């Protein structure tokens, strides 16, 4: 699902094609989820947009907006499968388009559209918001355009680690970590703490910091908290700078190797041969490197662990229960209780609190960016 980099990508395209133009026509369906659950409707969105001029576009974490010359303004969240399409522009990564048929590329408005609009003038643009699974949210915020972030839902969310460097400081992160007692992966996914970090960004951040995703956030040393802060800034800034184009991500990132899980053609291991493991933390599947991310402090009772296929096969030969072999391979002992972590934004139905893109040959099993 779209995270901080993918949202930054879309804002980039909105600024190129929509800002400064007057909306000549708009159509919206009356979707009770996308519009209705945040107190508006397709008809209200049509009325708010028609004949208005777009003066700016911006984002905070996973939320983004277009500010109009008169309120209310449009504030959006992609949820799991939402995306912005611009006619004639490939807003997503090219491998996604390679898998689509020509008829799908030419179709306008695109499938699963919730609203689409057209601007006037010689350089007219056509823009559509789509969402196949309807977890995205489109709302109207009635306030001055420069104060959108001071109003709900943005006001309830934490600082953006790229845009809010004056707020998202090392002391801020350390204070939030010391005040909570949850696995660090769950803390990173909590949008009230930091805006914009989702599953793959959290995993990448923890890998770069060499921290185990299950370890309690208040049980790290000062030096480890510093490493985490620097990793958050580094990963988020780099991903945003590259506009979510993973072909441009550094070669040493975990992202480049994490997609082999469940894929017969994949490896789910690092180039040096170290295997990657998958566990459930904070309600989400986490990818990490046991050889790199070692536990240095307290952790909750074991979360659900994805089976290590090699360990399971060996256990069958030795007539050992698979879970025992699995724990032996991970160097831990299994407990029956599950972690009750903090779920991130998109796993909840309410939405107040650049998707990982498909890479070479389509071998990485990430959710694709939508065009």
């Amino acid at each position: 699902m779209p995270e901080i980099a993918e949202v930054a990508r879309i804002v980039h395209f909105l600024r190129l094609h929509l800002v400064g133009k007057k909306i000549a026509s708009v159509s919206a369906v009356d979707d009770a989820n996308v519009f209705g659950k945040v107190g508006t409707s397709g008809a209200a969105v049509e009325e708010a947009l028609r004949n208005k001029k777009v003066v700016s576009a911006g984002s905070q974490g996973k939320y983004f907006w277009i500010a109009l010359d008169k309120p209310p303004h449009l504030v959006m969240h992609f949820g799991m499968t939402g995306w912005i399409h611009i006619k004639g522009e490939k807003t997503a990564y090219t491998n996604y388009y390679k898998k689509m048929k020509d008829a799908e590329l030419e179709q306008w408005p695109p499938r699963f559209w919730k609203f689409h609009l057209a601007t006037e003038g010689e350089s007219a643009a056509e823009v559509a918001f789509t969402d196949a699974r309807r977890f995205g949210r489109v709302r109207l915020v009635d306030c001055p355009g420069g104060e959108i972030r001071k109003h709900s839902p943005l006001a309830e969310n934490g600082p953006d680690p790229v845009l809010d460097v004056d707020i998202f400081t090392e002391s801020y992160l350390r204070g939030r970590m010391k005040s909570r007692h949850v696995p660090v992966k769950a803390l990173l996914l909590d949008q009230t703490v930091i805006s914009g970090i989702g599953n793959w960004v959290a995993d990448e951040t923890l890998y770069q910091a060499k921290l185990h995703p299950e370890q309690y956030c208040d049980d790290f040393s000062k030096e480890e908290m510093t490493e985490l802060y620097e990793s958050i800034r580094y990963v988020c800034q780099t991903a945003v700078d590259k506009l979510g184009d993973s072909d441009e991500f550094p070669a040493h990132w975990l992202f480049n190797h994490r997609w082999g899980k469940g894929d017969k053609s994949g490896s789910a291991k690092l180039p040096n041969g170290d295997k990657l493991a998958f566990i459930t933390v904070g309600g989400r599947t986490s990818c990490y490197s046991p050889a790199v991310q070692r536990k240095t402090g307290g952790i909750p009772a074991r979360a659900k662990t994805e089976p290590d296929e090699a360990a399971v096969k060996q256990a069958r030969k030795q007539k050992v229960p698979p879970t025992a072999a699995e724990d032996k391979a991970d160097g831990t002992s299994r407990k029956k209780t599950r972690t009750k972590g903090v779920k991130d934004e998109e796993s909840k139905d309410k939405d107040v609190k650049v998707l990982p893109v498909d890479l070479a040959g389509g071998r990485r099993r990430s959710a694709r960016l939508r065009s």
Side-chain angles (χ1 to χ4, degrees):
M1 61 188 66
E3 303 182 31
I4 187 171
E6 293 77 35
V7 170
R9 181 181 184 89
I10 283 303
V11 171
H12 166 77
F13 283 110
L14 290 175
R15 288 171 175 167
L16 282 178
H17 297 279
L18 197 58
V19 171
K21 297 178 181 179
K22 185 176 181 180
I23 299 171
S25 64
V26 56
S27 296
V29 299
D30 195 16
D31 191 299
N33 283 356
V34 175
F35 301 119
K37 287 194 173 181
V38 287
T40 189
S41 65
V45 167
E46 287 182 0
E47 182 179 355
L49 293 178
R50 189 176 292 113
N51 297 322
K52 298 294 180 55
K53 183 179 180 180
V54 179
V55 297
S56 66
S59 66
Q60 177 183 324
K62 299 181 184 182
Y63 282 95
F64 67 105
W65 62 86
I66 56 173
L68 307 170
D69 54 353
K70 294 180 181 179
H73 311 285
L74 204 64
V75 176
M76 293 161 278
H77 189 295
F78 282 136
M80 296 184 70
T81 59
W83 197 247
I84 287 286
H85 304 240
I86 298 177
K87 191 173 184 179
E89 180 71 86
K90 294 182 177 180
T91 57
Y93 190 63
T94 53
N95 274 1
Y96 170 72
Y97 292 96
K98 290 178 181 178
K99 296 178 181 298
M100 296 179 69
K101 298 179 181 179
D102 290 341
E104 290 181 282
L105 289 172
E106 296 173 359
Q107 178 180 340
W108 193 267
R111 295 179 65 196
F112 308 117
W113 66 272
K114 301 306 171 185
F115 75 82
H116 64 89
L117 60 85
T119 63
E120 61 182 30
E122 294 182 0
S123 58
E126 294 188 58
V127 178
F129 182 101
T130 65
D131 188 2
R133 297 188 64 183
R134 303 169 66 215
F135 290 114
R137 299 291 180 260
V138 177
R139 73 183 72 213
L140 296 172
V141 176
D142 193 353
C143 70
E147 298 181 5
I148 291 175
R149 295 188 65 183
K150 297 179 181 179
H151 292 259
S152 185
L154 298 174
E156 291 84 14
N157 279 250
D160 183 302
V162 173
L163 300 175
D164 300 325
V165 292
D166 56 331
I167 302 173
F168 183 71
T169 62
E170 185 176 338
S171 61
Y172 168 85
L173 179 63
R174 188 181 298 116
R176 297 306 297 265
M177 292 178 72
K178 289 182 177 179
S179 68
R180 301 284 295 277
H181 188 65
V182 296
V184 65
K185 171 69 179 284
L187 182 84
L188 293 177
L189 294 177
D190 188 340
Q191 301 299 295
T192 66
V193 176
I194 311 171
S195 286
I197 296 182
N199 206 37
W200 80 261
V201 172
D203 287 349
E204 189 65 53
T205 293
L206 292 170
Y207 173 74
Q208 296 298 327
K210 300 180 180 180
L211 305 180
H212 196 285
E214 282 185 310
Q215 189 165 326
Y216 284 124
C217 63
D218 58 343
D219 203 13
F220 288 102
S221 68
K222 181 179 179 180
E223 292 73 23
E224 288 172 323
M225 291 182 181
T226 297
E227 284 291 330
L228 179 59
Y229 172 76
E230 293 178 350
S231 294
I232 292 171
R233 288 282 299 120
Y234 162 65
V235 171
C236 291
Q237 186 69 63
T238 302
V240 167
D241 288 345
K242 303 301 182 182
L243 295 178
D245 184 349
S246 57
D247 266 0
E248 299 294 324
F249 289 174
H252 65 276
W253 276 22
L254 178 72
F255 185 95
N256 300 312
H257 312 289
R258 61 176 288 149
W259 309 112
K261 176 179 178 286
D263 187 346
K264 293 181 180 179
S265 64
S267 58
K269 63 181 180 182
L270 299 174
N272 64 2
D274 288 343
K275 292 190 66 176
L276 299 179
F278 299 88
I279 55 177
T280 300
V281 185
R284 302 296 300 279
T285 297
S286 300
C287 177
Y288 75 106
S289 170
V292 174
Q293 297 164 258
R294 299 182 182 277
K295 300 164 186 174
T296 61
I299 64 169
R302 278 304 302 258
K304 179 182 178 182
T305 304
E306 300 293 336
D308 181 321
E309 294 183 4
V312 171
K313 289 181 181 179
Q314 185 65 23
R316 287 171 179 166
K317 290 181 181 180
Q318 299 177 356
K319 296 184 179 180
V320 176
T323 53
E326 184 181 326
D327 289 338
K328 183 178 180 182
D330 191 50
T332 59
S333 60
R334 177 176 297 274
K335 295 182 180 180
K336 293 182 179 180
T337 56
R338 288 191 61 182
T339 301
K340 293 184 179 179
V342 178
K343 294 185 178 180
D344 68 324
E345 196 67 29
E346 294 77 15
S347 64
K348 299 180 180 179
D349 190 59
K350 61 181 181 179
D351 67 346
V352 175
K353 105 67 286 352
V354 119
L355 284 171
V357 292
D358 196 33
L359 301 183
R363 292 179 63 186
R364 294 170 190 163
R365 295 173 59 84
S366 64
R368 275 95 169 157
L369 285 169
R370 305 307 180 193
S371 66

